[in-house]
Amino acid sequence: MNAPGTARQLAAGLLRSAPLLSIVVPTFNERDNIAPLVDRLHDSLRGLDWEVVFVDDDSPDGTAEAVREIAAVDTRVRCLQRIGRRGLSSACIEGMLSSSAPYLAVMDGDLQHDERLLPAMLLALQGEPLDVVVGSRYVEGGGLGTFGAHRIAISRLATRVSHLVVPATLRDPMSGFFAIRRDAFMGCVRQLSAMGFKILVDLFASSPRPLRFRELPFTFRERIAGQSKLDTQVAWDYGMLLLDKLVGHVVPVRFIAFSLIGSLGVLVHLVVLGLLFRALGADFVASQLSATLVAMVFNFALNNRITYRDRQLHGLRWVRGLASFMAACSVGALANVGMAAWLYQHEQGWLLAALAGILVGAVWNYAITAVYTWGRARP
Ligand code: GDD
Ligand code: MN
């Protein structure tokens, strides 16, 4: 592997070896936090061999430029800019993959994580039989800082639910601040779901062998510059991550989301039908037809917004998407009825026949719209 003379060149200082520790920092609109964070890393990691990799999702505030400006004069700093992509977990994963260091750390770019913990994390990984060291708010000595009561409650609930897929002894699986051995990371990188915000949950739930871990306390600091990117969508993404870990090897989570929205569509259908037929006394067939159309538009809009958020259709494409969705679902309805009728004729009982018909219709709708409505690559 060594090119001839590499060791000599390294010794002569002509080449630089990979650092011991890469700190991966996902960023989105954190321009004003970059320089202070790099300064703090220099202070805290004095005497250690480290680098920091900022993974920026093309922030409109010019975060990537701010990083490159520093990187131009500081070889410890690198910028990985992703274009047309969003996602905290996937940013962390790609940042770690861009590094050759034997030890990796992940921390936020908004100064809320305490960089002074990094040397202790590294030391623990080097000196103890551990795979991961977690910066934890929930062990003795750690804390939530100025978290509001509302966020504390949400964080605790999310932590409790996480124990479906991560060891119950891990107190702060929601932490986005940790260090991990490269081999432990590489051991599960292909199994990661890479969805949403919770990369640590993903790592613990994806590793083929239990990760040996320790938690070190830190107090979550207040954000000074910039804004949190936490929104309601984060909760949905978290649910999808947990589902993917629990059942993703059997059923794609997108199909689950699609089916959940489909069931909501049934409710919408019944409400519209009830309104038109029962309340307004309209003709049954006309009411049923209207309810079907409303439910289809509802299902399409919601799937576009949630199930396929990463490839959302807008404008004219939205209209075209709706048309292909309705066409696909109409055929799906025929498949549904055909299947149910066939089973019923073969003495299978009405409930089983109906459920089988619904399943066939749902799978058809999902498969066809995945390809024809949301599938084509678009800029
Ligand atoms: N590249 C990239 N892409 N970075 C992102 C994205 C994204 O889509 N969304 C957020 N980030 C970056 C932010 O710029 C910040 O550096 C970091 O990820 C955390 O985002 P915040 O918006 O500040 O999150 P938070 O403070 O609400 O959440 C933090 O606390 C959680 C614990 O409650 C994060 O540390 C989480 O990882 C942590 O789990
Ligand atoms: Mn934050």
Side-chain angles (χ1 to χ4, degrees), residues 289-310:
L289 187 68
S290 313
T292 306
L293 291 177
V294 171
M296 275 188 180
V297 176
F298 170 85
N299 274 3
F300 169 73
L302 221 56
N303 275 309
N304 188 51
R305 180 78 188 71
I306 296 174
T307 316
Y308 290 101
R309 189 163 38 114
D310 53 338

Side-chain angles (χ1 to χ4, degrees), residues 120-366:
M121 287 173 150
L122 179 63
L123 208 65
L125 279 185
Q126 285 181 298
E128 297 169 40
L130 292 172
D131 297 306
V132 187
V133 178
V134 179
S136 176
R137 301 161 297 171
Y138 297 133
V139 293
E140 185 70 32
L144 287 161
T146 53
F147 255 46
H150 183 61
R151 254 203 91 173
I152 292 181
I154 292 177
S155 176
R156 288 204 190 276
L157 178 68
T159 303
R160 202 161 310 148
V161 181
S162 78
H163 290 135
L164 285 170
V165 296
V166 305
T169 42
L170 179 60
R171 306 286 298 276
D172 196 358
M174 313 310 283
S175 176
F177 185 28
F178 61 89
I180 184 168
R181 299 174 58 92
R182 158 165 303 281
D183 50 6
F185 169 68
M186 294 314 287
C188 61
V189 67
R190 285 184 178 77
Q191 274 70 50
L192 293 170
S193 301
M195 295 171 173
F197 250 51
K198 297 302 162 193
I199 174 70
L200 194 61
V201 170
D202 202 355
L203 283 166
F204 270 90
S206 305
S207 178
R209 61 175 172 84
L211 293 173
R212 301 162 301 171
F213 66 93
R214 205 179 122 187
E215 292 181 79
L216 297 179
F218 84 101
T219 301
F220 204 75
R221 290 192 294 229
E222 204 172 334
R223 185 189 257 280
I224 315 267
Q227 277 170 2
S228 170
K229 281 92 212 168
L230 208 78
D231 57 14
T232 45
Q233 208 87 63
V234 168
W236 171 269
D237 287 346
Y238 181 54
M240 286 295 123
L241 168 66
L242 294 181
L243 261 185
D244 193 41
K245 294 283 80 136
L246 289 169
V247 299
H249 52 288
V250 187
V251 201
V253 280
R254 259 196 233 271
F255 178 66
I256 297 175
F258 191 86
S259 305
L260 282 176
I261 290 172
S263 333
L264 273 184
V266 173
L267 283 183
V268 168
H269 181 116
L270 291 178
V271 168
V272 174
L273 182 66
L275 248 159
L276 294 177
F277 179 60
R278 299 295 299 270
L280 299 177
D283 170 60
F284 177 77
V285 176
S287 305
Q288 171 74 353
L289 187 68
S290 313
T292 306
L293 291 177
V294 171
M296 275 188 180
V297 176
F298 170 85
N299 274 3
F300 169 73
L302 221 56
N303 275 309
N304 188 51
R305 180 78 188 71
I306 296 174
T307 316
Y308 290 101
R309 189 163 38 114
D310 53 338
R311 10 181 156 150
Q312 228 178 100
L313 306 171
H314 299 280
L316 200 60
R317 287 205 169 107
W318 192 95
V319 180
R320 245 188 280 147
L322 176 63
S324 69
F325 182 86
M326 290 174 99
C329 293
S330 307
V331 180
L334 287 180
N336 171 343
V337 174
M339 179 74 188
W342 186 83
L343 280 175
Y344 186 69
Q345 279 154 16
H346 288 76
E347 322 276 306
Q348 287 300 330
W350 65 272
L351 188 60
L352 185 78
L355 289 176
I358 290 171
L359 183 67
V360 165
V363 170
W364 165 276
N365 290 348
Y366 171 72

